[in-house]
Amino acid sequence: MEGWLRKFEKEFLKKPGEHLLEIGITGSGKTQTLYWLVDGLVNRGKNETIVWFDTGKSSEFLTLAKFKPLRLIIPETLDIDVSLKTDNLNEIERVHVFDFGEVWRSLDKHKINVISFEPFVLHPEIYTKIVGKLFTALIRLAHDYALPTPMTIIYDEFHKVAPGQGHGLSEKHYRFGSIIQLNIERLRSLKVRFVATSHGWTKIRRGVRSSFNWFICKRGANFANDQPKLQRFNPLFEKLQTDECVIVYPTKIFSDIVKLPKYEDGEELGTVRYIGVFEV
């Protein structure tokens, strides 16, 4: 296993611009794997700007404060209340922003940047507008070379950004996925990469998922016939434990089963409460 991890460190953690997709069913340990990836990027990567999109689940971003100071990026007029159960965490600061471009201009390369918009959203149409405007601003600023690169953007449930057929919230949601499809490879060339998760391979728009060269397979990862080699191993992925994964390299070489460390859950470290509702 050590050999596979050294290869992963050299070819992914220390090589900015490589997109990675983690696939597994609910309860398969995907968030713990994201913590492991952030740990690796912070301690063995190339000093990348790390951006974590907050989904509002189980105070999970508090675990990130074990690795590095946090910068919470929050819409103006809304707020986050953090009540900690331990003093053994790095600093957590809040920054309020007025517009979507300011989100990306507020990034701090020396901290883990937590973009917290989704937890304040209650309506699917508003969610679609926010995601569309955030990523349109990202693409424009990347095009203008105005981002602190190299950058890794960590997004849980990426099918909510670029949904596959049958998984979108609206027609506008599908149309926005085409913008991501058009620009995801350009972002990679500009040293902006995505580390994303999804419950299923086909939940992500086909033209977007084909841009991911690296995969981490968790329990229940199930590939379709557009990935015939991976599809043959669906029965193996079905049996993985929550602390196990299989790394698939761009050449489609598989690692042995990798056993991952256990990180404290956010709820063990404190409580996060979101104050207000986003209106747009």
Side-chain angles (χ1 to χ4, degrees):
M1 190 173 76
E2 290 301 319
W4 290 115
L5 293 179
R6 283 195 299 271
K7 180 178 175 66
F8 183 70
E9 178 179 335
K10 178 182 178 182
E11 298 180 17
F12 180 78
L13 295 178
K14 293 183 175 180
K15 190 177 178 183
E18 295 285 307
H19 297 313
L20 180 148
L21 180 61
E22 178 191 357
I23 303 177
I25 59 174
T26 301
S28 61
K30 293 192 297 298
T31 302
Q32 283 286 318
T33 306
L34 290 180
Y35 293 149
W36 175 67
L37 290 168
V38 172
D39 190 0
L41 288 167
V42 168
N43 292 296
R44 294 180 293 283
K46 288 289 188 178
N47 193 30
E48 295 188 50
T49 302
I50 298 175
V51 177
W52 176 286
F53 270 82
D54 179 19
T55 60
K57 294 188 296 188
S58 307
S59 307
E60 63 186 18
F61 72 70
L62 292 181
T63 303
L64 304 175
K66 302 283 286 186
F67 310 129
K68 217 173 183 181
L70 302 188
R71 168 169 281 201
L72 307 183
I73 301 175
I74 309 165
E76 188 66 23
T77 75
L78 305 177
D79 210 349
I80 297 176
D81 178 67
V82 177
S83 178
L84 298 177
K85 299 176 183 177
T86 176
D87 296 326
N88 192 27
L89 294 177
N90 286 295
E91 174 195 7
I92 301 174
E93 71 163 339
R94 296 169 182 79
V95 174
H96 288 87
V97 295
F98 293 92
D99 61 53
F100 296 98
E102 191 182 355
V103 169
W104 303 104
R105 291 190 290 269
S106 299
L107 300 180
D108 187 334
K109 196 173 186 68
H110 305 290
K111 299 178 180 181
I112 296 175
N113 303 274
V114 179
I115 297 179
S116 192
F117 276 61
E118 182 179 340
F120 300 102
V121 176
L122 303 180
H123 196 283
E125 287 187 9
I126 293 176
Y127 174 80
T128 300
K129 289 180 182 178
I130 289 172
V131 170
K133 290 180 179 181
L134 274 173
F135 281 94
T136 299
L138 167 71
I139 291 162
R140 173 56 63 88
L141 289 169
H143 178 77
D144 293 340
Y145 301 95
L147 294 173
T149 55
M151 180 188 298
T152 294
I153 298 173
I154 299 165
Y155 206 110
D156 192 14
E157 299 185 13
F158 198 65
H159 48 271
K160 293 191 294 188
V161 176
Q165 195 62 37
H167 298 285
L169 299 173
S170 64
E171 189 58 37
K172 182 181 284 188
H173 198 187
Y174 287 120
R175 288 200 303 272
F176 173 69
S178 67
I179 299 174
I180 294 292
Q181 180 176 331
L182 179 64
N183 289 281
I184 191 168
E185 280 304 305
R186 175 157 174 76
L187 288 171
R188 184 186 65 79
S189 70
L190 294 170
K191 295 297 185 287
V192 177
R193 64 169 159 187
F194 287 100
V195 169
T197 77
S198 180
H199 300 319
W201 172 247
T202 57
K203 283 194 171 187
I204 295 179
R205 186 182 179 98
R206 184 166 185 160
V208 173
R209 68 185 190 240
S210 64
S211 295
F212 286 89
N213 293 326
W214 290 80
F215 303 105
I216 289 184
C217 301
K218 299 288 290 182
R219 185 172 64 198
N222 194 286
F223 291 90
N225 55 16
D226 58 338
Q227 287 285 345
K229 185 173 182 180
L230 291 171
Q231 187 182 37
R232 291 200 299 272
F233 288 87
N234 285 342
L236 168 66
F237 306 143
E238 187 65 40
K239 298 175 183 177
L240 293 173
Q241 300 300 307
T242 56
D243 62 346
E244 295 177 336
C245 73
V246 173
I247 301 171
V248 182
Y249 297 79
T251 57
K252 296 302 181 287
I253 293 174
F254 290 70
S255 73
D256 295 327
I257 293 176
V258 175
K259 197 169 184 68
L260 302 175
K262 174 70 170 68
Y263 297 92
E264 291 176 273
D265 291 325
E267 289 181 324
E268 300 174 47
L269 302 173
T271 303
V272 174
R273 294 288 180 265
Y274 299 92
I275 302 169
V277 176
F278 198 100
E279 304 286 353
V280 65

